């Protein structure tokens, strides 16, 4: 069965410091991995994806994610956090059933402190 | 501007009442989805549709119904059979094609449904 886990409910980081939001996955075959961000009372916004190619993927708003096949991880990173990065972040893996359904993690709330 | 529009933003339902949530997209996307979001549980798939006049149950379809009569529209009805409907409902769409053309989902802004 395919699954995705976000082990931290909340991550706190000081503004200007690097941030990491963790995601691990379990899939059979090649994974298709995504990160989304959600601001209060809004839908999710696409940040970045890994389909194939370079393990380091760059996305919107200065975020990047590193695909690590041996550790089955896809952690979201940013070199210098902003207060405006405070939001709920979701990792997702695409199901390999010929459809475009995704399994979402439970989300990690990022709080950047001024 | 292209996007997905969900309405209403807030909806209140009385016990035993059916309510319908609207989702319209002008992105020419083939596939559309309904998710339910509860605190601490992430997003759970209710129904999805890959083509007009066809839809499939997701993981938590009981108490919900959908239709896909037009490519642009995918309304969700929360029926009285859904015993715990209070949640944030998200509609999404995605372009068709193979994995390399997969750009993920575009989400609407959501509808918050509350039972009163």
């Amino acid at each position: 069965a395919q699954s995705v886990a976000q082990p931290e409910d909340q991550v706190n980081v000081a503004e200007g410091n690097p941030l990491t939001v963790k995601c691990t996955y379990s899939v059979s075959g090649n994974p298709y991995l995504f990160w989304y961000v959600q601001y209060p009372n809004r839908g999710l916004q696409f940040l970045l994806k890994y389909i194939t190619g370079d393990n380091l993927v760059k996305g919107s708003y200065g975020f990047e994610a590193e695909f690590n096949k041996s550790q089955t991880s896809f952690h979201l990173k940013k070199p210098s956090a902003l207060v405006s990065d405070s939001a709920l972040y979701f990792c997702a893996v695409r199901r390999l059933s010929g459809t475009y359904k995704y399994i979402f993690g439970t989300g990690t709330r990022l709080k950047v402190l001024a | 501007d292209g996007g997905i529009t969900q309405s209403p933003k807030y909806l209140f339902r009385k016990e035993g009442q059916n309510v319908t949530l609207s989702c319209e997209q002008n992105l020419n996307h083939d596939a559309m989805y309904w998710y339910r979001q509860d605190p601490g549980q992430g997003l759970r798939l209710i129904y999805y549709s890959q083509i007009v006049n066809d839809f499939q149950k997701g993981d938590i379809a009981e108490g919900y119904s959908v239709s896909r009569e037009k490519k642009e529209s995918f309304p969700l009805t929360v029926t009285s059979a859904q015993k715990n409907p209070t949640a944030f409902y998200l509609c999404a769409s995605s372009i068709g094609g193979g994995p390399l053309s997969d750009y993920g989902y575009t989400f609407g802004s959501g509808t918050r449904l509350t039972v009163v």
Side-chain angles (χ1 to χ4, degrees):
Chain A
Q2 296 177 228
S3 65
V4 59
Q6 294 181 244
E8 302 156 318
D9 291 335
Q10 181 160 324
V11 171
N12 296 328
V13 63
E15 188 175 30
N17 282 4
L19 70 86
T20 299
V21 182
K22 295 180 180 177
C23 173
T24 59
Y25 65 89
S26 174
V27 299
S28 54
N30 295 323
Y32 303 121
L33 299 157
F34 298 78
W35 275 103
Y36 290 84
V37 60
Q38 185 181 32
Y39 298 99
N41 292 311
R42 303 290 296 176
L44 279 68
Q45 297 176 32
F46 171 81
L47 275 180
L48 50 81
K49 67 174 181 177
Y50 173 83
I51 303 294
T52 187
D54 290 341
N55 290 342
L56 186 63
V57 178
K58 294 189 181 298
S60 307
Y61 314 120
F63 283 93
E64 57 189 27
E66 186 170 11
F67 171 65
N68 188 317
K69 189 171 184 178
S70 62
Q71 297 185 7
T72 62
S73 66
F74 190 56
H75 301 332
L76 181 70
K77 300 181 180 183
K78 188 173 182 180
S80 178
L82 300 172
V83 172
S84 58
D85 292 331
S86 299
L88 188 59
Y89 290 81
F90 288 94
C91 183
V93 61
R94 179 171 168 244
R95 301 186 194 195
L96 300 177
S97 59
T99 68
Y100 297 88
K101 296 183 295 179
Y102 298 86
I103 302 170
F104 286 86
T106 52
T108 297
R109 188 164 299 282
L110 174 66
K111 190 170 184 179
V112 181
L113 307 169
Chain B
D1 287 337
I4 297 183
T5 301
Q6 288 188 243
S7 62
K9 192 172 179 67
Y10 299 96
L11 186 58
F12 297 91
R13 192 193 92 167
K14 295 180 180 179
E15 295 282 351
Q17 187 179 45
N18 292 355
V19 292
T20 297
L21 284 59
S22 171
C23 179
E24 304 276 335
Q25 55 101 356
N26 61 4
L27 299 164
N28 200 33
H29 283 175
D30 295 311
M32 297 186 74
Y33 313 82
W34 275 105
Y35 282 88
R36 171 178 170 144
Q37 185 177 16
D38 296 282
Q41 294 196 49
L43 278 67
R44 293 182 289 170
L45 182 65
I46 303 172
Y47 268 99
Y48 68 100
S49 169
Q50 292 184 272
I51 195 170
V52 175
N53 292 322
D54 184 57
F55 48 83
Q56 305 295 328
K57 292 182 178 180
D59 301 314
I60 56 165
E62 185 175 352
Y64 300 97
S65 65
V66 294
S67 63
R68 186 89 187 273
E69 297 176 1
K70 299 186 299 181
K71 188 175 186 177
E72 302 80 14
S73 179
F74 192 43
L76 173 74
T77 296
V78 184
T79 74
S80 57
Q82 172 48 240
K83 297 306 178 188
N84 185 24
T86 295
F88 191 52
Y89 291 86
L90 287 163
C91 180
S93 70
S94 66
I95 196 168
L100 294 181
S101 65
D102 190 346
Y103 293 96
Y105 288 172
T106 300
F107 280 86
S109 295
T111 293
R112 187 165 297 281
L113 174 63
T114 304
V115 174
V116 296

